[in-house]
Amino acid sequence: MPESTTKTKSKIKRPNLDALKTGEVTIADVPSDWVIEKSKDLYGIDRWSNGYFGIAPNGNLTITAPGLAEHPIELLEVVGGLKQRGLEMPVMLRIENLLVDRVEQLNGAFSKAISESNYQGDYRSVFPIKVNQQNHVVAEIARFGEKFAHGLEVGSKAELLIAMSTLRSKDSLIVCNGYKDEEFVDLGLQASRIGYQCFFVIETPSELGLILERADHWKIKPLLGVRLKLSTEVDGHWSNDSGDRSLFGLSTTQLMDVVDHLRQRELLDCLQLLHFHLGSQIPNIRNIRDAVSEACRFYIDLVEEGAPLGYLDLGGGLAVDYDGSSSTATHSRNYDLDEYCIDIVETVMASLDPPGVPHPTLVTESGRWTVAPTSILLFNVLSVSTFDPTPFPELKNEELSESTLSLLETLSALKERRLQENYNDAIYFRDQMRMAFRVGEISLRERALAENICLTILNKIAELVPKLKKPTADLVKMCESLSDIYYGNFSVFQSLPDAWAIEQVFPVMPLQRLNEKPTRSAIIADLTCDCDGKLSRFANEDGPASTVPLHPLHPDEDYLIGVFLVGSYQETLGDLHNLFGDTNVASIRITQEASIEFIHELEGDRISDVLSYVEYQPQEMSNRFRTMAETAVRDGAITVAQRQEMLRLFNESLRGYTYFEN
Ligand SMILES: *Cc1c(COP(=O)(O)O)cnc(C)c1O
């Protein structure tokens, strides 16, 4: 073996090492012709931002409040204001103007569709509290929705208590879904008693008896609805919520039983609402039309049976275009708000007009659409790891093994026409080199050098791959494997749980330097020690991408990233993985004079908070540590002054933020 090694060595021509300086292998230099329009395009801002976000000439990301197009506000300015107020990153930022705009748009679009089609019924929006239960959010919806009699949908006693104490207009609907026990029903009846339009939606046959019994007890006539199980099945992630196997709703047989029972008790006039919910985020408008049309068949026949009805509740499902592709992909949708409203109105009219059934009040429970764009997760980048090669030292051929020399030769022979072959060679010789290391033929120092040569080859190949018309899957995967890892000050599990649980895509982009070409491609890792704690699916016009373009960090300069459209479901579904708690939360309002008002701040969990959630008692922990320190003093291991210092650190940490602090 050693002999042949020597022979091969001598055959190999010494590669030209001058070409291997790393200056040449880094990804293209910053070109000067980069303009902010390119960043807009690259991050797809106009595709997903609903016009709420833009870029200032200085390269900073801006919020454009509706009606204030002339006065965009830089997000960095907001971050600065938060810092002055003691709110460090990560922060969940809510923008009140956007919430107001969503409520107005939703009601406005239905109102427009209704008047344009000469529809004879009304429209009522209800917000499903489960989508974002935060007090401030629900209170704002109630406040700004008052003029539209915007209501609330509740699925539990806790949510019903929120609705009863938050809604301002008695014309607003409270729609009670979910399983209801006696206390739930009693509460809802009290809501009716003080004048709210509180509907009990019957989801299972057994509920009806309980509701009628309690209504009888309180001498209150209940408002009833029935939840249909439609046979229309939908596309998208929540497709299981629809069709025969859907978890919720009455089968047709059960529905007829409910009707018969009510008629028998002479209470059929209580049945005033027909409800269905096909699941959230329905990407395809055709599914929505089909479902409405099927529900209308139920509506017509129930009216014929003698139920007054009057309300047709279409549930949620109005989707958000997370990836900006305007397609039927799971994280997108092939329709906009106006189309949604018009299609619903027209489908109902087309179904009800021939038999001459009066037009009902339309109800939708649009949660995701209403609140998704109103919150942004903001965090700073702590560090970056790259897979860039480093410069080589002076090399002497005679000290190198066969596999290392082969790697060097592969490097010097690199050709755009033969990238796949060059790649195969690099991997082959690298594996040989690793084998040689394992059996003790080469030293650790040589292995480090050889790995570095291999990385240089792969980076050079990656630079050339974009020039190929049809790169192989191998090469594409290799390029991804060279992407940087940006470490962000946040927890996916706490703030973006759907990114982990259901591979939800959210728009992600930097808040600054958008007048500069982002030359790095990266994935973003969070603070948890979990290999799932990362963002590696990003919104892209042609479907999700596995990396996002970012800028190389500048020393001593914060690099801030925003994750957008996170107002729905994320905060509440979040959990305490690795004991990272709730983030700081702030709400702002942009005034007519285009200044920022900080209207609401909420400090995130302290370390002592998250510890007590998992049943530790911070006071007791502190006491135990003090005893331990005192024993150490007694044993002469530390001084009293050192004891004091330790206790101060321990107790300060208990009061500290769970995230990385500067
Ligand atoms: C979750 C839920 C909604 C909300 O759906 P979105 O798609 O978020 O609008 C509406 N209605 C019911 C019954 C729900 O369970």
Side-chain angles (χ1 to χ4, degrees), residues 238-262:
W238 284 269
S239 54
N240 286 344
D241 283 3
S242 58
D244 292 341
R245 280 289 296 162
S246 120
L247 297 179
F248 307 101
L250 302 169
S251 69
T252 49
T253 326
Q254 291 167 334
L255 179 60
M256 291 335 298
D257 286 347
V258 167
V259 169
D260 291 341
H261 191 94
L262 284 173

Side-chain angles (χ1 to χ4, degrees), residues 240-312:
N240 286 344
D241 283 3
S242 58
D244 292 341
R245 280 289 296 162
S246 120
L247 297 179
F248 307 101
L250 302 169
S251 69
T252 49
T253 326
Q254 291 167 334
L255 179 60
M256 291 335 298
D257 286 347
V258 167
V259 169
D260 291 341
H261 191 94
L262 284 173
R263 193 181 353 250
Q264 216 173 29
R265 303 273 298 258
E266 295 185 359
L267 287 171
L268 198 52
D269 59 331
C270 295
L271 183 53
Q272 298 189 21
L273 180 140
L274 197 61
H275 173 270
F276 70 88
H277 172 65
L278 289 178
S280 201
Q281 183 69 15
I282 300 174
N284 194 344
I285 187 75
R286 218 180 54 217
N287 296 152
I288 293 167
R289 270 205 305 255
D290 288 350
V292 171
S293 149
E294 188 185 354
C296 282
R297 281 289 304 120
F298 283 81
Y299 192 93
I300 295 163
D301 279 16
L302 286 175
V303 167
E304 195 132 289
E305 288 272 344
L309 292 182
Y311 290 92
L312 179 59

Side-chain angles (χ1 to χ4, degrees), residues 154-228:
V154 307
S156 66
K157 287 179 276 191
E159 291 182 354
L160 178 53
L161 292 173
I162 294 175
M164 290 168 70
S165 56
T166 310
L167 280 177
R168 295 160 167 239
S169 163
K170 294 280 163 54
D171 291 331
S172 297
L173 307 186
I174 299 178
V175 178
C176 303
N177 287 315
Y179 286 99
K180 302 161 201 71
D181 64 7
E182 188 174 312
E183 193 167 53
F184 194 150
V185 173
D186 281 356
L187 279 173
L189 289 167
Q190 308 316 306
S192 288
R193 184 136 80 167
I194 51 169
Y196 285 120
Q197 305 281 307
C198 182
F199 280 95
F200 295 109
V201 176
I202 299 164
E203 304 231 17
T204 61
S206 57
E207 272 173 1
L208 180 60
L210 176 68
I211 295 167
L212 295 185
E213 185 219 311
R214 297 314 295 165
D216 207 35
H217 171 84
W218 294 99
K219 306 274 174 285
I220 296 167
K221 203 152 187 188
L223 286 172
L224 298 180
V226 279
R227 178 158 181 174
L228 302 176

